[in-house]
Amino acid sequence: MAGTIGAVGLVAVLSACGSIYPDLTPTNQPFGGVRSNVREVTIGFAQQQVQAPYFAAMKQLADEIARKKGFKLLFQSANKDPAIQLNQMQAMLAQGASVLIVNATSVKGQVWNMKQIGSQVPVIYVDTAVPGTGTTAVQSNSFAIGQGAGKLAAERFKAMGKSQISMVVITGSPTDEFVGPARRKGFLQGLTDGGVKYTIESEQDGLYQQDTGQVAAETMLAAHPNVDLVMGLNDAMVLGAYNVVSGNPKYRNVYVAAAADGQREALALIKRDGCRGRYLSTGLNSPNLATEQALTIAIDIALGHKKPSDYPPNSYTLAVGIGCNNVDKFYDPNSVF
């Protein structure tokens, strides 16, 4: 998949470091049913949703890696419903999955469920983890990514002579209890670190999707047309906001920025318009890096090359803000995401 990972994959840095999450202590995971050949391995991937491009990209890459390596992949999407996700995981176990990769739908609401699942099979979390359960969590450092994006946005505003801004915020979803709030907190800290004071006029859920993000932006800007910035917690929602501000002269002084993702379409806008553009910044949160790492861990456990206890609670991907001055390092027009 090197062709689709592009420059991002080449700069992958994965390390065990401190977490913005509560301690994710590895449990005594079962370690039976080790396979001798990767073609005998069945891995379950329980995704929280595929409506957002980030999560859809995970599925596309997982399917390609499974075809390339020859293991059986069972993939299900829960449409953000914890009950559906539990049923899907149980079905995967019944179909012979020896390891599960899980993007949890509810950090707080799935503790008991995930303890039960984790008592039967090793669980590798990707993106969103349930604290106190599982083998390890492969994820981005959401606070650090948001902070990097916020600093770059602050640089742009300072270059425009603005050290005080007003803004509206497009949040994720009501069940997003850790990742989104950490991105939000990081971005705001980045603005402060960059010497920009801010006031938040309104916040509204965008469900991490472009169409709902666009509706949220339209609603908030109608009530607050003179804000300086629309910030969203991912690029998909901010691309929706960009459609609103770029197509209406009423909002010609409104800029947009994302706390995370580094989606191809967002990077293309940043690259195209340079340091005079209205898409100020985003943060690297690669679904490719997270999916590759999670599947590597799952395969190593399934083949007996590693034990669940060999892994730290968290494995982080590279955290960096992306703006007009460094976008060329990360933009790949052929990227799947």
Side-chain angles (χ1 to χ4, degrees):
M1 196 62 182
T4 58
I5 294 171
V8 172
L10 297 177
V11 296
V13 176
L14 290 157
S15 62
C17 56
S19 175
I20 59 169
Y21 294 95
D23 287 340
L24 185 66
T25 305
T27 56
N28 293 323
Q29 294 284 343
F31 193 54
V34 172
R35 306 299 191 265
S36 60
N37 186 293
V38 71
R39 294 187 178 278
E40 299 174 356
V41 170
T42 299
I43 295 173
F45 196 137
Q47 179 63 281
Q48 60 171 255
Q49 58 146 314
V50 291
Q51 289 88 345
Y54 182 88
F55 300 133
M58 282 185 169
K59 181 183 188 307
Q60 184 173 338
L61 182 60
D63 286 339
E64 183 164 337
I65 292 174
R67 287 193 298 270
K68 180 179 178 180
K69 293 186 176 293
F71 63 87
K72 182 177 181 180
L73 179 69
L74 305 174
F75 188 99
Q76 292 288 335
S77 171
N79 197 29
K80 297 174 287 188
D81 188 316
I84 291 175
Q85 190 166 61
L86 175 60
N87 290 335
Q88 291 173 341
M89 289 186 292
Q90 290 171 333
M92 291 175 189
L93 296 185
Q95 294 174 66
S98 56
V99 183
L100 290 184
I101 295 173
V102 178
N103 190 1
T105 59
S106 175
V107 173
K108 296 178 181 178
Q110 289 183 282
V111 175
W112 185 88
N113 289 347
M114 294 314 303
K115 284 183 177 179
Q116 295 301 309
I117 294 294
S119 69
Q120 302 173 65
V121 67
V123 172
I124 314 301
Y125 287 111
V126 62
D127 191 55
T128 301
V130 175
T133 70
T135 296
T136 190
V138 179
Q139 55 198 192
S140 58
N141 188 325
S142 297
F143 178 88
I145 290 173
Q147 185 178 25
K151 285 182 180 178
L152 292 180
E155 288 180 8
R156 288 287 310 278
F157 279 120
K158 292 296 287 291
M160 289 183 264
K162 293 185 177 183
S163 58
Q164 174 78 51
I165 65 169
S166 61
M167 60 191 294
V168 295
V169 178
I170 311 175
T171 56
S173 66
T175 60
D176 182 12
E177 297 138 331
F178 282 96
V179 174
R183 291 178 180 180
R184 177 187 181 278
K185 184 177 180 180
F187 188 94
L188 297 178
Q189 184 62 54
L191 288 177
T192 299
D193 293 343
V196 171
K197 297 180 180 180
Y198 61 86
T199 57
I200 298 175
E201 304 297 336
S202 181
E203 299 191 46
Q204 187 170 321
D205 291 346
L207 304 178
Y208 288 117
Q209 299 170 35
Q210 183 167 332
D211 55 350
T212 47
Q214 182 163 332
V215 171
E218 288 171 343
T219 300
M220 290 188 290
L221 287 173
H224 306 281
N226 297 316
V227 296
D228 301 288
L229 177 66
V230 180
M231 188 272 279
L233 300 186
N234 77 337
D235 280 311
M237 296 188 295
V238 175
L239 286 166
Y242 182 84
N243 289 339
V244 178
V245 303
S246 64
N248 190 332
K250 182 179 180 181
Y251 305 131
R252 62 183 177 274
N253 295 319
V254 181
Y255 293 81
V256 301
D261 274 2
Q263 188 173 333
R264 183 186 64 222
E265 292 83 357
L267 299 189
L269 287 173
I270 294 172
K271 179 178 175 64
R272 184 193 72 186
D273 297 334
C275 292
R276 294 182 179 274
R278 296 171 69 184
Y279 207 118
L280 301 183
S281 62
T282 184
L284 179 64
N285 179 36
S286 170
N288 296 352
L289 300 183
T291 302
E292 282 189 318
Q293 179 71 1
L295 283 169
T296 296
I297 293 171
I299 291 169
D300 282 345
I301 290 176
L303 293 176
H305 297 164
K306 296 279 189 177
K307 302 186 298 295
S309 59
D310 291 335
Y311 294 94
N314 296 283
S315 298
Y316 283 139
T317 55
L318 177 67
V320 64
I322 303 173
C324 59
N325 289 317
N326 68 345
V327 65
D328 287 338
K329 296 179 182 179
F330 302 100
Y331 175 61
D332 178 359
N334 299 314
S335 174
V336 69
F337 175 71

